[in-house]
Amino acid sequence: MKKVVVFASGSGSNFQAIIDAVNAGEIQAEIAGLISNKSEAGALQRATNNSIPTTVCSPEQFESTADYEKVLLQKVESWKPDLIVLAGYLRKIPDQIIAAYRGSIINIHPSLLPKYGGKGFYGMNVHRAVLENNETESGCTIHIVDEEFDQGPIIAQSKVAVHSDDTPEILAKRVLHEEHKLLPATIKKFLN
Ligand code: GRF
């Protein structure tokens, strides 16, 4: 059975979409663990509800960055992932992890990359910028993670229309709905 490790910082609705696809047998894999940098992340509860092991790990808990990176890498290695999924993870993945799992870490981003990616483009900032620029379409992108934020090779994209009366919140919801379909489908393809 292939193993997937998920990183999430937020409510974890994308993580839930993965759990649901695994439980439905659409993704034939085991979610070996969830890592969050935030002890209050909703994703942690979703993991617990599904008996998925969790770890909270953030640099603030350690005396040095080196200690943090070592512990994080050890944790990931202990779960022996075939695929690592960043599902709303708001911290940079340490370079050692990227090097150890190069090509096997994917991230979902709520815009049509390369547009609206990189530093500062996260959460509602992305949707606000899309509306400020009067874009007529937006969407979500899944890409391979490398050392640069939101810049690795794109492997899947899904588009939505932007309406003239959209608020960032309404647009975010429309994009998120697509994310919940694109992420499980892409994981399935990746593992095959
Ligand atoms: C999603 O829009 C994801 O693309 C972005 O953060 C949001 C996370 O939502 N990186 P959730 O925690 O999966 O509900």
Side-chain angles (χ1 to χ4, degrees):
M1 185 74 97
K2 295 266 172 77
K3 289 186 175 190
V4 179
V5 166
V6 181
F7 282 64
S9 305
S11 83
S13 68
N14 275 299
F15 177 47
Q16 187 68 50
I18 304 170
I19 293 172
D20 292 347
V22 168
N23 289 346
E26 285 155 22
I27 295 175
Q28 299 206 336
E30 176 198 344
I31 304 175
L34 171 77
I35 293 179
S36 186
N37 59 316
K38 292 209 166 142
S39 57
E40 70 277 16
L44 291 165
Q45 187 60 48
R46 296 179 193 270
T48 306
N49 293 346
N50 289 276
S51 309
I52 295 165
T54 62
T55 291
V56 175
C57 189
S58 73
E60 296 75 31
Q61 298 166 304
F62 297 88
E63 284 192 356
S64 71
T65 307
D67 286 350
Y68 155 68
E69 293 183 345
K70 192 173 145 203
V71 168
L72 191 60
L73 178 62
Q74 279 172 352
K75 189 74 225 178
V76 172
E77 281 175 337
S78 75
W79 283 329
K80 303 190 184 327
D82 297 286
L83 171 66
I84 297 173
V85 180
L86 311 187
Y89 189 65
L90 296 178
R91 268 212 177 268
K92 200 161 183 311
I93 297 293
D95 286 355
Q96 294 107 298
I97 295 185
I98 295 174
Y101 293 93
R102 193 171 297 286
S104 300
I105 309 177
I106 63 173
N107 177 47
I108 183 148
H109 184 81
S111 78
L112 295 175
L113 289 175
K115 284 186 158 186
Y116 308 105
K119 212 169 166 35
F121 283 119
Y122 60 87
M124 227 33 92
N125 295 351
V126 173
H127 307 296
R128 223 172 276 126
V130 167
L131 294 176
E132 276 164 11
N133 287 308
N134 297 313
E135 299 282 0
T136 55
E137 60 178 22
S138 189
C140 50
T141 301
I142 296 176
H143 66 93
I144 303 282
V145 173
D146 64 16
E147 284 81 355
E148 305 302 322
F149 254 128
D150 299 331
Q151 280 188 21
I154 291 170
I155 55 173
Q157 242 170 5
S158 184
K159 289 181 182 175
V160 302
V162 177
H163 304 156
S164 55
D165 58 350
D166 275 348
T167 62
E169 290 74 20
I170 290 172
L171 178 58
K173 207 169 159 193
R174 195 177 303 126
V175 172
L176 196 58
H177 185 70
E178 287 306 307
E179 293 181 47
H180 294 163
K181 291 187 278 179
L182 189 66
L183 188 56
T186 306
I187 291 172
K188 183 180 174 170
K189 266 193 215 155
F190 190 100
L191 292 174
N192 287 339

